[in-house]
Amino acid sequence: MMASSYNAKDEDAVGSGGPGAVKSKKPDNTAFKQQRLPAWQPILTAGTVLPAFFMIGLIFIPIGIGLLVTSNNIKEFEIDYTGVDMFSPCFNCSQNYSWNSTSACTCSVPFTLDQPFESNVFMYYGLSNFYQNHRRYVKSRDDSQLNGDKSSLLNPSKECEPYRTSDKKSIAPCGAIANSLFNDTLELFYIHPNGSRITIHLVKTGIAWWTDKHVKFRNPGGNNNLSIVFQETSKPVNWHKAVYELDPSDPENNGFINEDFIVWMRTAALPTFRKLYRIIQKKKDNMTPTLPPGNYSLEVTYNYPVRSFDGRKRMILSTISWMGGKNPFLGIAYITVGSVCFFLGVVLLIIHHKYGNRNNNADIPN
Amino acid sequence: SCCNRFRTESISCGGDEKRVDSRTIYVGHRPCPDTEAFIPSKFCDNRIVSSKYTVWNFLPKNLFEQFRRIANFYFLIIFLVQVIVDTPTSPVTSGLPLFFVITVTAIKQGYEDWLRHKADKEVNKYPVTVLEDGRSVKKESEKIKVGDVVEVVEDETFPCDLILLQSSREDGTCFVTTASLDGESNHKTHYTVPDTEKDLQALTATIECEQPQPDLYKFVGRMHIYKQEQEPAVRSLGPENLLLKGATLKNTKKIYGVAVYTGMETKMALNYQGKSQKRSAVEKSINAFLLVYLCILISKAVVCTTLKYVWQSKEGQDEPWYNQKTQKEKDSNMYLKMFTDFLSFMVLFNFIIPVSMYVTVEMQKFLGSFFITWDKDFFDPEIQEGALVNTSDLNEELGQVEYVFTDKTGTLTQNNMEFIECCIDVHIICMLGFMCHFVCLFISIYQEKEELFLRALCLCHTVQVKEAGSEVLADQVDGIDGLLLQPEEERGFIASSPDEIALVKGAMKYGFTFLGLESKSMKIKNRQNDIEEYKLLHVLNFDPVRRRMSVIVQTTSGETLLFCKGADSSIFPRVRPEEVDRIRMHVERNATEGYRTLCVAYKQLSAEEYAMADTGLREARLALQDREEKLMAMYNQVEMGMSLIGATAVEDRLQEEAAETMEALQGAGMKVWVLTGDKMETAKSTCYACRLFQRGTELLELTVRTLEDERLKSWSTANQDYGFIIDGATLSLVMNPPRDADASQYKSLFLQICQNCTAVLCCRMAPLQKAQIVKMVKNSKGSPITLSIGDGANDVSMILEAHVGIGIKGKEGRQAVRNSDYAVPKLKHLKKLLLAHGHLYYVRIAHLVQYFFYKNLCFILPQFLYQFFCGYSQQPLYDAAYLTMYNICFTSMPILAYSLLEQHTSIEILLDNAALYREIANNAMLRWHPFLYWTVLGIFQGLMFFFGVRFLFSNPALQDNGQVFGNWSYGTIVFTVLVFTVTLKLALDTRHWTWINHFVIWGSLAFYVFFSFFWGGIIWPFLKQQRLYFVFANMLSSVSAWLVIIILILLSLLPEILLVVLRKPRGPHSRQVYFSLPFPLLSLNSSFLPYPSYFLIFSLIYILFCSSFILHHVLTRCDVTQSQPITRYLKLYSYVKQWLVSLLVAGLH
């Protein structure tokens, strides 16, 4: 009886659908539309994560140890030559400083290396409390000028203000960054035990990023006759010499593509920073260390004032490993994370063994 | 009536009353002899304008509307600040996303408006035929003026609201369907105005009618027909004479009508006002979180600005020689500078409030709602339709429902009526379907009464007979309204209510066949196969307040009879009391069995009685003022002193799986309330059948009958399961107490009882009362999320009132579906809609929202921390491209894919375990403590990113050739860690990895790497600074950078991984707290830190975690213990009783 009444209804429904005229609005039975796409459903349980923890521990701890050892093997020597202290050699220079003085103030800072520096040694200068990352400073440059664009050379970007023009001529290179180019000259002498001073050869190329030197920075109109190219421009106000006189000896290192300049133009991330200054190539014979232990003298042509903003200047000598300069942070971090993971693995294993069974039992009836 | 008209005119001339309450229309623009001056009144033309914009005002109007949204306005302000003030980031970074959002929205709205324009044009340019000076003139629809006589042929839609003057059908009727208006596809009969001329050319008439109003079913008007040398005839006009614009002419060759309302004044246009926007709880949470983030943003900016000036006050810091200010900067006012600095910091940190979140949330809602329409489980083969989504804004609300209000008829039950039995006096005629056709016992003395009863069934209705023949096929499309083919005679019936068809068919089974209504006479074939003819004098229509309907007919022998059928409560007081008791028992018994009962009564009218009734009814119908009230009074007067013939019982079967659905909803922690207009016994039995009331349920009844019953049952307090029953009369006492004292007290008392009962049944409800109950619950403490489900026009008010309105595509027309937010074909679909779709949508969007805030917090935190290292100079840590792309490209797709596809628990499990729904109750994933958790996670990771790289950069010589990294490398390393961590965090949260997830997650990361190479690989001519030139490639050439990226990602995700592991595995039986073991893990983590700053950070986080955890525990302890509802019930009971008694006393006087 029930069935018959249902049948009657079904017939009605078929009838009301019309003779095939109405298109069925039945939804497509596709996996996507029915939210039945095949899916991987990972369940992170103690069972799957425990081995991962042990693995992380086992991998990270050796890496950390390796990093720490590498970092510790890096020789680094750092000396502050600002001359704040009355007895420091550069005290006079730091006191008497004025931008206008024509005679350069020089001072010589003696130091001793206790250990030999093998392989290539990298010489950095470091500045403290110098805000190269200040916004006003960071944006005060004209990259198209530095890229050799002639129109920008004569008409630099507004961002360079107030270092855009001087004496109604445009400044090349314009902007605060270029204007404050680090211009101390650092020279290194080895004081031989017999008293003679041996000049240590400092290589001034290879200190900037290759792409910066070859693509991002370009002299306008090639590297020849820079003085003509730049004649319509004025040197930055704080500079002693024009941009085409930065390294007259080497046309490949002069003008905008001077590497000291390029290095300076890459603004530092933090107010205390170091920048690569020179490279001391390792000796060809490979027998004697690049810098043997002993007494050295750092000759500083003191041009760069930092005391007005309570800054510091440093010279750093460092060897380099595959991970870069000396920094124990990574090593410590890896060892700690590795051991924490390992420890957690152990703890989880204990928890898993003690309480895991009960959970399993609870799940079985399902 | 004359003075009535005079009054109207005097008002129109009065001047102080701007709006005239009626309008006068001259049919065919012909002046009438009666009125001195023919003043053509100004009415609006017949142009329909549903579009919002024109070509000219689109841009300003659309922009204005978009920027009225608070979020858009905020981003506009940020953008303007960036344009005006010298800010660290270029206006592009915020302008581009804003532009994108605005453009996409504008295009979408523009397209929708273009569609509306097109539709408007189609309607406005549609050719219509207008009678002008005796000729038919073709016109465009928009040119129709009020007063024009319009011709409409079959299957055409009416171009404006017309008064039917002439029909091609002989009896002066026409049939229309209003499917496009209210969705009811049954044929409705409309009548011509009586006595209008056959020759329309000669017709001189005016129509007075009310000013346009939106109610589709109300129309009051009057027609004055002027004939030469005669008094003007006055005819009343009602909704039955009015053909609405948008309705379609059916079964009638041609009609003529006069336009009364045109264009935007038609009832259809007046009904086009949009529904009020419903806002979801998630949106409220988002706004609350936004406020928190706004505070964070402002406090960050304030901190930075303050520190900047503190820092600058130190000598040599503000303007060292290497970093001079420009002249303009030197000259600017100090306070102005502070203010611009503050704005700059705001701009720098504004990414913490993401524009893209709004876009993603909108997209998620829009795209996500397709899964409901696509779901084939919602497809009903019977009506060949699936689910319908009217709004996508409420998807997640489906997962938050606490109260379900359901209609009974058509929702819990099928509304597919079958005549079960009837009782005439003491005899029960068993008519179970087709079986017991001949089993009936008739005793000859009752023969007469029985035939009277069957005649009453045949006559007292508004059923139409579907004509057999060629038209049947075409009209079967409309068959869902109860077109039931009669197999032997090819005869079908059409009625607005399925009960009527059931009754007429029931009578047919007994040999009384209703043949149809032809020119006011009803034909019945009786048992002897004779045709009896009755002249139909009046139909006293059914309405839900009276709950009965009557017809007055005249037999061929001249007898005038009134037949009345209706609910027992409305019939019993109107018949002789001694008859009642005999029938009442059967009615009640039938009601407890779940049948719908109707009582049938009749009375014989003497000639005088009829004359009185006739004039009374006619007068009431003609009344312009208070017509409804007058009619009602007249009906009540006529339907008095009848004698009861019998009662019928019609079975309304339960919907498929109604009980299972209700059980699942209750299992999911929802409280189900049944709100029905039906009587208590029927509703109660349905509730038992649906397992809303169990055998053990203690029923608390608060109805007029129990109150009359004097004695109170004794309660067994041991029972924990309560059901509550209240009826409409009692409810109105509670809701609108006669004396305003203690009004709110009883209301809250009532609410408290209801909240402590598992199921509540409210019977004898008027539609408005249903809405009232929903509103009361909605506004109660804790503002629970309510859901209303219903299928009929009487459920519309509660569907509109509830947070989520569900319409059932049932048999009572389409009004509920039209006004609902979601519509499903059957009640059983509600289970999947809530338990699976709702649950998943909620989890998805909650995760989406939290994740968005989290990822922007750890995006911006390093930027904030960087200010401490760059002299508070607003130097951005990341490049502008990264700032812009972070939310748009790098991290947007994985979360969108997640928020569309995630199934943290599979649909089958969700459906099988209704209790899982409780896990997300009370907005569990968007409360403050998960928000705090996400925020702390964001802060933790942000600190990790920044300080990890900070310690690495203590020696910036990171390459094996001794070269150093600068500030952009710093930012790029942080950003790389950020993008990977944030994406992998999402990967950890993803429980359902489809190929789309894989593609999007790994694709995003690959895209980031690819983009970074590409962006840094070229000197971009349009960029002022080549900041990132080869920065990314150089970073990758450094082993240290690799190592730091790996360890920071791992370290940031470690707490998360641990949490996942220590969380109980998700399964059907695990009811997990959101995070169960947070702090021991972090204390382990913090043990390795060598640096004091780390230690500080971790202790801070530790404290935050602990406090939030403790807070959580404290909050959960505060759960109110549920008290016994009985004491409250007794209190309310005594109150209601007291008032009922006093009311009864008052009624007696």
Side-chain angles (χ1 to χ4, degrees), chain B residues 9 113 236 362 601 687 715 856 1018 1130:
Chain B
E9 276 163 14
D113 207 53
S236 74
E362 292 284 310
C687 283
W715 308 103
N856 282 288
I1018 297 171
L1130 290 175

Side-chain angles (χ1 to χ4, degrees), chain B residues 44-49 119-120 122-131 137-146 148-163 176 180-181 242-249 255-269:
Chain B
C44 72
D45 60 8
N46 196 31
R47 192 182 310 146
I48 284 280
V49 185
D120 285 354
E122 204 171 302
V123 171
N124 289 335
K125 300 288 176 203
Y126 190 81
V128 291
T129 316
V130 176
L131 277 192
V137 183
K138 283 266 170 196
K139 268 191 180 180
E140 283 172 352
S141 164
E142 61 179 356
K143 302 258 167 66
I144 296 176
K145 287 191 282 294
V146 171
D148 280 349
V149 178
V150 182
E151 179 192 311
V152 180
V153 295
E154 190 169 356
D155 290 331
E156 255 184 354
T157 57
F158 302 111
C160 56
D161 291 354
L162 301 169
I163 292 289
V176 302
S180 59
L181 276 175
L242 186 70
L243 305 170
L244 298 176
K245 180 187 173 80
T248 313
L249 185 66
I255 62 112
Y256 289 97
V258 57
V260 283
Y261 303 129
T262 50
M264 297 312 284
E265 289 180 342
T266 55
K267 286 182 184 286
M268 183 180 85

Side-chain angles (χ1 to χ4, degrees), chain B residues 203 586 892 934 1031:
Chain B
L203 176 72
H586 296 289
S892 63
W934 280 94
V1031 163

Side-chain angles (χ1 to χ4, degrees), chain B residues 400-419:
Chain B
Q400 288 294 302
V401 177
E402 286 168 72
Y403 285 87
V404 174
F405 298 97
T406 164
D407 176 41
K408 189 183 77 71
T409 313
T411 308
L412 287 176
T413 57
Q414 285 185 355
N415 204 15
N416 182 17
M417 304 296 165
E418 207 164 316
F419 191 32

Side-chain angles (χ1 to χ4, degrees), chain B residues 34-256:
Chain B
D34 209 24
T35 45
E36 304 81 39
F38 166 61
I39 316 153
S41 333
K42 271 285 181 195
F43 298 115
C44 72
D45 60 8
N46 196 31
R47 192 182 310 146
I48 284 280
V49 185
S50 64
S51 55
K52 258 160 82 183
Y53 311 107
T54 64
V55 178
W56 310 110
N57 74 7
F58 174 73
L59 210 62
K61 199 173 170 187
N62 184 264
L63 285 184
F64 174 74
E65 273 177 16
Q66 287 204 45
F67 285 120
R68 269 203 326 202
R69 284 190 71 177
I70 193 84
N72 284 347
F73 187 69
Y74 164 79
F75 294 119
L76 180 72
I77 293 289
I78 291 286
F79 174 69
L80 290 180
V81 167
Q82 280 180 306
V83 171
I84 296 160
V85 183
D86 168 49
T87 53
T89 51
S90 93
V92 178
T93 52
S94 70
L96 200 70
L98 183 65
F99 179 75
F100 176 76
V101 172
I102 297 290
T103 321
V104 167
T105 318
I107 287 172
K108 187 179 149 233
Q109 293 181 347
Y111 175 69
E112 282 170 359
D113 207 53
W114 180 71
L115 288 182
R116 281 195 288 264
H117 267 289
K118 228 172 78 169
D120 285 354
K121 205 171 158 191
E122 204 171 302
V123 171
N124 289 335
K125 300 288 176 203
Y126 190 81
V128 291
T129 316
V130 176
L131 277 192
E132 256 175 26
D133 307 322
R135 286 172 292 115
S136 298
V137 183
K138 283 266 170 196
K139 268 191 180 180
E140 283 172 352
S141 164
E142 61 179 356
K143 302 258 167 66
I144 296 176
K145 287 191 282 294
V146 171
D148 280 349
V149 178
V150 182
E151 179 192 311
V152 180
V153 295
E154 190 169 356
D155 290 331
E156 255 184 354
T157 57
F158 302 111
C160 56
D161 291 354
L162 301 169
I163 292 289
L164 181 59
L165 296 177
Q166 206 180 75
S167 164
S168 63
R169 289 173 71 94
E170 280 167 19
D171 54 356
T173 60
C174 74
F175 294 102
V176 302
T177 73
T178 51
S180 59
L181 276 175
D182 56 9
E184 291 178 32
S185 55
N186 58 332
H187 289 190
K188 297 192 178 76
T189 318
H190 286 247
Y191 303 93
T192 53
V193 182
D195 303 332
T196 48
E197 299 285 323
K198 282 287 164 204
D199 179 14
L200 285 176
Q201 218 32 58
L203 176 72
T204 313
T206 58
I207 292 169
E208 257 181 74
C209 60
E210 56 186 355
Q211 288 294 352
Q213 56 149 319
D215 193 324
L216 291 180
Y217 310 106
K218 274 207 181 112
F219 175 75
V220 183
R222 209 163 32 168
M223 192 170 190
H224 299 260
I225 302 166
Y226 301 92
K227 289 179 186 159
Q228 276 163 350
E229 292 118 36
Q230 268 182 33
E231 272 293 292
V234 180
R235 295 284 170 263
S236 74
L237 304 175
E240 70 276 4
N241 305 115
L242 186 70
L243 305 170
L244 298 176
K245 180 187 173 80
T248 313
L249 185 66
K250 290 281 180 191
N251 270 5
T252 314
K253 295 229 160 43
K254 189 156 84 171
I255 62 112
Y256 289 97

Side-chain angles (χ1 to χ4, degrees), chain A residues 27 29 34-36 40 124 131 135-136 139 143 159 163 208-209 267 269 305 323 325-327 334 366, chain B residues 321-324 374 376 844 866 873-874 903 908 952 955 957 962-963 967 993 1025-1026 1034 1040 1043 1068:
Chain A
N29 189 10
Q34 300 307 321
Q35 306 196 57
R36 287 185 204 286
W40 171 55
Y124 298 89
Y131 283 84
R135 183 162 74 93
R136 205 189 314 135
K139 68 177 184 178
D143 275 347
E159 303 282 0
Y163 304 100
W209 289 11
T267 48
M323 58 168 281
K326 194 181 183 79
N327 193 351
Y334 266 82
N366 189 38
Chain B
W321 65 263
Y322 59 85
N323 193 9
Q324 300 279 310
W374 283 337
K376 71 172 165 49
R844 288 166 184 174
Y866 193 56
S873 59
Q874 300 122 22
Q903 292 175 29
E908 287 74 27
L952 184 75
N955 182 356
Q963 292 170 358
N967 63 324
W993 284 82
Q1025 294 200 2
Q1026 311 295 334
N1034 265 308
S1040 295
L1043 289 172

